Amino acid sequence: MFNNLSDKLDKALHVLKGHGKITEVNVAETLKEVRRALLDADVNFKIAKNFTKTVKEKALGQDVLTSLNPSQLMVKLVKDELTELMGGETVGINLSGNPTVILMSGLQGSGKTTFSGKLANYLKTKKTKQVLLVGCDVYRPAAINQLQVVGEQIGVEVYAEVGNQNPVEISQNALKHAKSTGKNVVIIDTAGRLAVDEEMMTEISNIHKAVNPQETLFVVDSMTGQDAVNTAKAFNDILNFEGVVLTKLDGDTRGGAALSIKSVVDKPIKFIGTGEKMEAIDVFHPDRMADRILG
Ligand code: GDP
């Protein structure tokens, strides 16, 4: 992931290596290349501009010009700023409900159903929770089937109501079912569409009101770059979600979504999806991701 961005940042910072001393011009030139690398990765223009401005201020403030190892200091400043850009701290999910309700939102194909399964499996194995998966995509029978296959695979019960076209009712019934069967986490998979539309937003907003989730997670395909950020904004305006899940980071993702989303919606990235298998889920750590980007 982020291979192109990594290479370009490495090249930009490499120029400083071997310089015992560097000048303000060297710093400016390096940061120009850093900015170019961010823009190539599909990071929003304003975000990229602010990024280099902040690094420059810090570099000059920390006497990078007279430091013994200016290139190492610059790498550290860029790494710190990348960490900040991706949220700074690791933010876990809130499992305090009884049962905890987790609502998945996002466009069709973003990876909601797959991630619902991954999260159920993660909570079951890592946190020893009793999980119920709920299929609320009433438009595509295939989506319910897919969830059932996933549930079977990981040994988690799936609640669905064939023939019921009312996702609000299904989710409410699922909560009752969860309580009566001793489940302590309910993960609700919802219907997405190919683009943001009013009907989808109204529907998910109604489910949200009805089940009052501890965690609403916005699932987004990281390959979609800037579009991912616009979609995140639309969903956040309606749902005020708790966190973001970036999927498909195993592909050749440029990085724009990961680097821009926090600045735009001010919500943390909580998990990443790194493959189609049920085990391909990781808690998102901004510092580790920055380390990975800078090699
Ligand atoms: P939904 O429509 O939002 O429920 O999306 P799905 O869960 O059906 O996922 C759409 C496609 O993306 C499926 O083919 C998944 O196998 C695939 N997918 C989901 N998450 C990942 C991921 O992290 N990496 C990869 N490579 N594929 C993924």
Side-chain angles (χ1 to χ4, degrees):
M1 72 183 79
F2 308 157
N3 287 340
N4 196 32
L5 175 63
S6 289
D7 285 352
K8 290 205 165 135
L9 286 178
D10 189 51
K11 272 194 199 115
L13 292 161
H14 194 78
V15 174
L16 294 177
K17 278 193 187 134
H19 282 268
K21 281 222 177 335
I22 55 173
T23 64
E24 205 171 325
V25 174
N26 295 141
V27 172
E29 274 170 1
T30 300
L31 288 176
K32 205 166 136 192
E33 288 306 312
V34 167
R35 185 154 86 201
R36 203 167 278 165
L38 292 173
L39 292 174
D40 276 354
D42 206 16
V43 171
N44 171 285
F45 176 75
K46 253 196 216 153
I47 296 172
K49 200 171 162 196
N50 276 341
F51 183 95
T52 43
K53 186 168 164 255
T54 311
V55 174
K56 187 174 180 189
E57 278 164 13
K58 286 192 179 158
L60 299 179
Q62 289 188 23
D63 295 332
V64 74
L65 305 183
T66 52
S67 87
L68 283 178
N69 198 332
S71 78
Q72 234 171 40
L73 184 57
M74 280 298 282
V75 170
K76 186 185 176 305
L77 290 174
V78 171
K79 202 177 266 185
D80 287 352
E81 209 47 38
L82 282 175
T83 306
E84 277 310 303
L85 197 57
M86 291 185 286
E89 301 289 314
T90 304
V91 185
I93 55 168
N94 168 10
L95 295 170
S96 67
N98 189 25
T100 296
V101 180
I102 303 173
L103 180 66
M104 296 296 167
S105 64
L107 295 182
Q108 186 179 316
S110 60
K112 285 185 302 303
T113 305
T114 309
F115 184 74
S116 297
K118 288 179 184 176
L119 185 60
N121 191 41
Y122 169 87
L123 293 173
K124 185 186 152 206
T125 48
K126 291 250 160 63
K127 313 259 174 194
T128 60
K129 296 284 183 191
Q130 305 290 321
V131 186
L132 180 70
L133 280 166
V134 184
C136 267
D137 190 341
V138 296
Y139 310 101
R140 295 187 314 134
I144 305 282
N145 282 348
Q146 189 190 345
L147 195 64
Q148 270 156 347
V149 169
V150 161
E152 235 163 72
Q153 205 182 324
I154 57 174
V156 167
E157 187 186 344
V158 174
Y159 184 93
E161 291 184 21
V162 179
N164 189 347
Q165 292 290 305
N166 184 340
V168 170
E169 213 173 88
I170 298 171
S171 56
Q172 284 169 324
N173 291 342
L175 284 199
K176 281 186 212 141
H177 180 76
K179 282 181 191 151
S180 69
T181 54
K183 305 291 193 302
N184 42 29
V185 179
V186 180
I187 299 176
I188 304 176
D189 185 23
T190 60
R193 299 229 163 72
L194 291 175
V196 171
D197 75 27
E198 216 178 303
E199 213 178 327
M200 171 179 63
M201 289 305 191
T202 307
E203 179 176 303
I204 190 140
S205 163
N206 287 339
I207 300 175
H208 186 265
K209 279 183 206 137
V211 299
N212 193 21
Q214 274 72 34
E215 287 278 340
T216 300
L217 297 177
F218 170 68
V219 181
V220 65
D221 178 345
S222 57
M223 305 289 277
T224 53
Q226 281 294 302
D227 279 348
V229 177
N230 298 333
T231 314
K233 198 171 173 314
F235 273 87
N236 194 45
D237 287 348
I238 300 285
L239 297 173
N240 191 19
F241 54 68
E242 272 68 36
V244 176
V245 176
L246 274 182
T247 64
K248 310 188 194 180
L249 275 179
D250 49 312
D252 190 17
T253 315
R254 283 197 286 167
L259 292 167
S260 308
I261 224 157
K262 173 68 171 58
S263 307
V264 175
V265 291
D266 197 24
K267 296 293 166 65
I269 300 168
K270 295 197 172 183
F271 289 98
I272 56 173
T274 55
E276 296 188 75
K277 296 221 171 84
M278 284 298 110
E279 295 74 30
I281 168 175
D282 281 306
V283 171
F284 182 73
H285 299 289
D287 53 344
R288 288 189 210 166
M289 189 57 83
D291 274 346
R292 241 169 123 158
I293 293 173
L294 280 188

